[in-house]
Amino acid sequence: MSASQSVKKIIEINPYMLGTMAGGAADCQFWHRNLGVKCRLHELANKRRISVTGASKLLANILYSYRGMGLSVGTMIAGWDEKGPGLYYVDSEGGRLKGTRFSVGSGSPYAYGVLDSGYRYDMSVEEAAELARRAIYHATFRDGASGGVASVYHVGPNGWTKLSGDDVGELHYKYYPVEAEVVEQEMAELPVT
Amino acid sequence: MTKQQANWSPYDNNGGTCVAIAGTDYCVIAADTRMSSGYNILTRDYSKIIQLVDTSVLASSGFQADVRALQKVLAAKHLQYQYQHNKQMSCPAMAQLLSNTLYYKRFFPYYAFNVLGGLDREGKGCVFTYDAVGSYERVGYSSQGSGSTLITPFLDNQLKSPGPLLLPARDAVTPLSESEAIDLVKTCFASATERDIYTGDKLEILILNASGTRVEYMELRKD
């Protein structure tokens, strides 16, 4: 099996809902795509968009029915509906939580550290994006299984947009630039005897 | 009390390596023709490549019985698609069909490591790489199979371009010409054959471009 630096971990379910991927890549890809189909069918049947609450519950119920069979899915469903912004955490154990901030995956403890210390409910979009970017960067720094590109998306009332996608190697030098070292004593060449 | 282990496995690994490289207006898909089982060679002349559509070519290493079954399922689904839609499937459409086909056997997988290569509706080369249960992404190049650990770092060194996730998007570095890509593939397999016992005998290369499909063969070491 090949590891990849460019796997899309943010899945576009529809133009106003995003899902994140952690755990089994195929499990996440397939079930998020299936969720997108179910959301579209809901729109056609009910003549209105599905809520984030509803979409996350559709996914959670599917994953619960496969509980114990070895699926590995740790995902966040983020979207915007009539009640405003919505964020849910859903996993393959059958868990589903509503919240204002989550971190998922092998690097999540590292990301939580940065996320929790910098979070305020009244942050601006730019501040939040920068906090998220830093949280991802720090997770990639310490967790061997995380790396590649840090993607940041924003979900608003008119749907999602991609704000940035930065190589974490370059983020490292942006956050910790190399400074010229002050040399106290330089080594001198000894004359050859 | 230890858990009972199976004394028989439905799977076998017939070895082999597949590579695909996408260019601005071509796609190169290659695989060796050695089929092995354990330390034995079953045959030196077995093709792992199948052309499903004019614009889609599948190369698969792994358990060739599962590979053959998968090829037949995809060919049948494509035929149905043609009857229903009166047109051939595009390469990205075939890519998603393959992903779904693999995932439907999520709890008894096809032991097949696939690389799908072809031309998209705009005529640009595309390569899709898969895991055994269907997760896939579009990439500029890919290698799967027993020799992939030897070939992938070499391709990364020669071809690696800025990731598709970067924003602002960055242009890929100098694209290879078709003949340069073919030479690169031949070099990959010549090297992989040296160090991987399951890769060798003969190399089969399919080249897809606007003029159609072409096949080239190259002898590899038989030891």
Side-chain angles (χ1 to χ4, degrees):
Chain A
M1 231 250 71
S2 53
S4 173
Q5 297 280 44
S6 63
V7 167
K8 283 191 77 171
K9 291 190 186 172
I10 298 186
I11 299 166
E12 295 146 11
I13 298 168
N14 60 41
Y16 52 92
M17 222 180 321
L18 296 173
T20 62
M21 179 202 292
D27 294 336
C28 289
Q29 263 186 18
F30 183 88
W31 291 111
H32 276 116
R33 197 184 309 137
N34 180 266
L35 179 63
V37 170
K38 287 193 161 69
C39 290
R40 179 67 183 136
L41 289 171
H42 176 99
E43 278 175 22
L44 291 167
N46 300 103
K47 282 196 179 172
R48 57 192 252 175
R49 281 189 195 164
I50 191 170
S51 62
V52 185
T53 315
S56 60
K57 193 128 198 187
L58 281 176
L59 181 63
N61 287 153
I62 295 266
L63 295 177
Y64 182 78
S65 66
Y66 283 96
R67 198 170 125 89
M69 294 178 71
L71 292 188
S72 173
V73 174
T75 183
M76 295 179 276
I77 305 294
W80 195 288
D81 56 30
E82 281 160 12
K83 293 202 167 68
L87 179 65
Y88 283 83
Y89 162 81
V90 176
D91 69 24
S92 45
E93 310 286 287
R96 175 172 166 269
L97 298 170
K98 183 168 160 63
T100 53
R101 63 191 188 280
F102 290 109
S103 169
V104 187
S106 57
S108 62
Y110 306 110
Y112 266 129
V114 174
L115 189 59
D116 290 337
S117 64
Y119 176 82
R120 290 178 348 262
Y121 190 70
D122 58 348
M123 291 171 87
S124 71
V125 173
E126 292 77 24
E127 288 176 311
E130 183 57 18
L131 182 66
R133 198 175 297 120
R134 277 186 190 260
I136 298 289
Y137 158 74
H138 279 98
T140 62
F141 187 72
R142 284 291 178 181
D143 174 36
S146 303
V149 173
S151 304
V152 180
Y153 285 70
H154 171 254
V155 187
N158 299 319
W160 56 259
T161 47
K162 185 160 183 180
L163 295 179
S164 69
D166 299 292
D167 188 301
V168 297
E170 291 175 26
L171 283 181
H172 174 79
Y173 291 109
K174 189 170 143 222
Y175 295 142
Y176 297 103
V178 176
E179 279 149 16
E181 241 185 56
V182 176
V183 179
E184 285 155 4
Q185 262 196 341
E186 274 206 32
M187 287 197 41
E189 287 274 333
L190 279 179
V192 177
T193 46
Chain B
M1 181 79 185
T2 47
K3 190 178 168 188
Q4 195 186 27
Q5 301 272 34
N7 54 13
W8 176 82
S9 166
Y11 296 114
D12 189 14
N13 189 348
N14 301 120
T17 309
C18 307
V19 167
I21 300 177
T24 40
D25 59 352
Y26 66 86
C27 188
V28 173
I29 302 99
D32 68 326
T33 59
R34 173 176 287 181
M35 185 168 164
S36 342
S37 178
Y39 284 123
N40 300 312
I41 294 178
L42 298 174
T43 178
R44 299 189 190 277
D45 200 10
Y46 190 84
S47 175
K48 302 185 196 21
I49 305 181
I50 184 175
Q51 179 146 33
L52 295 162
V53 191
D54 292 346
T55 51
S56 293
V57 171
L58 177 67
S60 323
S61 70
F63 180 37
Q64 290 302 320
D66 270 354
V67 167
R68 180 55 67 91
L70 180 63
Q71 290 173 348
K72 289 172 88 171
V73 167
L74 292 174
K77 291 250 173 81
H78 180 238
L79 197 58
Q80 285 180 318
Y81 181 98
Q82 285 179 89
Y83 288 138
Q84 287 174 0
H85 297 90
N86 203 25
K87 65 180 182 187
Q88 300 213 312
M89 279 179 94
S90 67
C91 195
M94 181 60 81
Q96 186 149 309
L97 176 64
L98 174 54
S99 171
N100 284 329
T101 308
L102 291 170
Y103 199 83
Y104 282 141
K105 273 172 67 69
R106 168 66 174 78
F107 298 112
F108 182 16
Y110 288 108
Y111 194 85
F113 298 102
N114 303 292
V115 178
L116 184 76
L119 304 169
D120 62 18
R121 284 261 190 257
E122 295 167 11
K124 285 194 210 145
C126 52
V127 171
F128 295 91
T129 190
Y130 296 80
D131 70 3
V133 278
S135 120
Y136 79 113
E137 60 166 326
R138 182 169 175 174
V139 289
Y141 59 91
S142 173
S143 168
Q144 293 275 9
S146 57
S148 66
T149 47
L150 298 164
I151 292 176
T152 305
F154 175 60
L155 289 179
D156 283 343
N157 174 259
Q158 297 292 307
L159 297 177
K160 189 163 167 93
S161 42
L165 297 172
L166 290 173
L167 189 79
R170 288 215 294 252
D171 245 355
V173 190
T174 338
L176 250 61
S177 72
E178 190 184 292
S179 50
E180 284 174 325
I182 296 169
D183 276 342
L184 188 63
V185 159
K186 289 178 178 173
T187 309
C188 286
F189 274 89
S191 299
T193 304
E194 294 287 316
R195 293 288 183 175
D196 175 29
I197 59 175
Y198 298 109
T199 303
D201 292 331
K202 202 165 69 175
L203 172 62
E204 183 183 10
I205 311 176
L206 256 72
I207 305 111
L208 265 72
N209 53 29
S211 344
T213 310
R214 201 172 90 240
V215 186
E216 267 190 50
Y217 293 96
M218 184 179 96
E219 292 297 315
L220 296 171
R221 283 180 69 139
K222 297 169 194 329
D223 62 357

